[in-house]
Amino acid sequence: MRRFKPAAVAFVLALWLLPLFVTLEFRPILPVDETRVVSVAWEMWNRGDFLVPSLNGVPYADKPPLLFWIIHLGWALTGVNAWWPRLVPALFALACLYLTHRLGRRLWPQMPEAAGAATLVLLGTTFWSAFSTGLVYDTTLSFFVLCGALGLLHAWQGRRWQGFALFGVSAGLGILAKGPVALLHLGLPALTAPWWMQENRPPWSRWYLGLAAATLLGLVLAAAWALPAARAGGEAYAQQILWHQTADRMVSAFAHRRPFWWYLPLLPLLLFPWIAWPPLWRSLRSLIVSPDSGIRLTLIWSGLGLVAFSLLSGKQAHYLLPLLPPFALLAGRGLAQNPAIRPSDVLLPAAGLVLLGGLFSLTPFLGARLHLPSWTEELPVVTGLTIAGAGLALAVLKFSHSSLETAKLALASVFTVATFQAGLSLPVWGAYDLGPISARLKVLEDDGAPLAHVGKYHGQFQFLGRLEHPLEVIEPRDLSPWLARHPSGRAIVYLPPGDPLLDEAEFLQPFRSRFVAIVGARAVARLAAGHPTGMPTSEAEP
């Protein structure tokens, strides 16, 4: 295999590092999804229980433990910190770039340009770049899906049992990363092999026998954790991880229910800027005329994957992250075969960046008129102007070679993501940074004060404050009775601007478009005394 060109490797690493640097430097760990991940990892670490995840002292059945274990591995080497959990998804994203390149070389060994173009397309997809540093499970899942796909290619191209072994281990680790949805991602290309394999077609009985053995290996690997965890976690936890979070969740989701067409209007955002780049469409049109095995595989993998996830009841945009590498491979193959570039090709994505930058720059002046949150009035205009400038530079700078044009568009996309996140640092991220109140809660916990959370609690303070005990969760109507029973206690409440309880709060800070505050019994009693008709009730956190 041809060695990587040092300049290309340096360029890819630079584009990978840019959003990572911005994330570590400017963006806090965001509630509630990211804070929940690190809080579960923290509670397992703090209790010394690495078998059953827990959140606020209760077994946490929503996700399997692989991502938490990886966080623990880093903490064992570096100590408990906030930077390692945020580095983990970025490392998996980098590994996905490498595996995408490997898959491209295996699918089209006589066309190495396809692998390089696919790597740039994936790296430069705005949605992928934005989530490559997000503490979500889908980046880890994407890595194991790509490993499983590489195993399929090994099995197809002669190393049958080694390939199936890699497929099985990848399936098992994928299940431990996010659950049985890994089997859906891997099953689509594996089961449809007769439709995409055009040469070296194996005896199908042997293929499916190997596939069954590999799937069994993956299930055994996942069961090695699930069965002991089910016994240790109790009957309710066992029901959750063995049934409700598997079959039930895929067929009838408890949260994020959307109509079947929900992903379709999001596709322009998910595939930007490439969906607005004419060379991609010209190249894909020519590929469909005479598709080879690799083209068929990536079409089935990404196309049927989109259909399958549209049929599932639960939908979130980041659920489609594992489908972006096969799209990138398909795009890379097309760009390698049809490298022709026209001077006007870049105008549409450039116009998109200029429009985005212009809207960002106008938001501070139009926020009040459009009834947007108050922090929008503090958005820095220079951020929008910088993004618009990137769009103008994209239109002005032109290269005659398609690989350079692809690299230029990838650079503009990643730069836009990094600039956007950095520009949100003061006005937006400050409204999502729960570090200050978490530190105050730690002081109160060390002083022995009972702590309660009003409304549903997602664990957003546990890791940030390094809290060692769960918070008691109460309803808004129970605030006064709970404080009466715990005179030295404190309660965390979420209040709208102008709420009288804000003036009595012991500690408060902005959170989203409201305030999160810590109140004690005296403050609530004083407020209640001033409102004989009834004390205003705090709002629960959504």
Side-chain angles (χ1 to χ4, degrees), residues 101 117 153 163 169 173 196 291 296 368 373 415 432 438 509 536 540:
H101 191 276
L153 295 190
V169 171
L173 293 176
W196 59 264
R296 290 172 181 266
F415 178 79
Y432 284 81
S438 299
Q509 69 169 76

Side-chain angles (χ1 to χ4, degrees), residues 159-497:
R159 300 167 61 184
R160 182 166 301 162
W161 295 111
Q162 297 95 320
F164 281 131
L166 177 58
F167 181 89
V169 171
S170 301
L173 293 176
I175 294 172
L176 290 175
K178 203 186 173 183
V181 70
L183 295 179
L184 178 58
H185 281 290
L186 288 170
L188 288 173
L191 294 174
T192 58
W195 285 271
W196 59 264
M197 288 185 187
Q198 297 300 295
E199 63 276 346
N200 301 325
R201 294 164 68 90
W204 295 120
S205 58
R206 293 185 181 180
W207 175 265
Y208 286 110
L209 180 62
L211 196 59
T215 304
L216 180 61
L217 172 62
L219 292 174
V220 168
L221 184 60
W225 163 76
L227 295 180
R231 287 194 296 269
E235 182 178 353
Y237 179 74
Q239 287 289 329
Q240 286 287 325
I241 65 170
L242 297 178
W243 183 253
H244 294 297
Q245 292 296 332
T246 55
D248 278 0
R249 188 153 192 162
M250 293 180 69
V251 175
S252 179
F254 318 124
H256 315 309
R257 285 192 172 190
R258 323 278 191 191
F260 74 93
W261 48 263
W262 188 77
Y263 284 126
L264 293 179
L266 291 181
L267 288 181
L269 295 176
L270 299 182
L271 301 180
F272 188 83
W274 312 110
I275 198 170
W277 200 38
L280 177 63
W281 291 106
R282 291 196 298 268
S283 63
L284 293 181
R285 187 168 60 247
S286 64
L287 292 183
I288 297 175
V289 176
S290 55
D292 58 30
S293 295
I295 295 170
R296 290 172 181 266
L297 168 60
T298 51
L299 278 171
I300 290 174
W301 186 1
S302 56
L304 282 186
L306 177 61
V307 172
F309 277 85
S310 296
L311 294 176
L312 298 181
S313 58
K315 297 178 180 67
Q316 287 281 73
H318 56 80
Y319 292 175
L320 299 186
L321 279 175
L323 299 181
L324 292 181
F327 163 78
L329 285 165
L330 182 64
R333 173 64 172 80
L335 292 171
Q337 178 173 313
N338 300 276
I341 298 293
R342 300 172 185 172
S344 60
D345 283 339
V346 78
L347 294 181
L348 190 55
L353 293 184
V354 172
L355 178 61
L356 175 63
L359 290 175
F360 195 99
S361 300
L362 291 175
T363 299
F365 306 102
L366 300 178
R369 296 181 181 179
L370 298 177
H371 305 288
L372 298 177
S374 58
W375 51 259
T376 59
E377 300 178 13
E378 302 176 27
L379 291 174
V381 175
V382 67
T383 300
L385 295 178
T386 302
I387 295 174
L392 293 175
L394 190 64
V396 172
L397 297 176
K398 293 182 172 62
F399 300 98
S400 58
H401 200 282
S402 64
S403 62
L404 295 178
E405 281 291 302
T406 306
K408 181 185 72 173
L409 195 54
L411 172 60
S413 176
V414 174
F415 178 79
T416 298
V417 171
T419 302
F420 187 81
Q421 292 198 11
L424 297 178
S425 59
L426 290 178
V428 177
W429 299 144
Y432 284 81
D433 183 6
L434 293 177
I437 189 172
S438 299
R440 177 59 182 167
L441 291 172
K442 178 60 176 175
V443 172
L444 292 171
E445 181 186 69
D446 291 343
D447 289 342
L451 299 175
H453 185 276
V454 177
K456 186 175 181 180
Y457 182 48
H458 299 277
Q460 55 265 37
F461 305 112
Q462 298 302 117
F463 171 76
L464 296 180
R466 309 298 194 271
L467 304 182
E468 299 182 10
H469 304 286
L471 305 183
E472 187 172 347
V473 179
I474 62 177
E475 296 298 323
R477 62 178 178 274
D478 298 324
L479 174 60
S480 294
W482 186 88
L483 288 172
R485 294 193 304 271
H486 303 85
S488 62
R490 306 292 195 281
I492 305 157
V493 296
Y494 300 83
L495 304 169

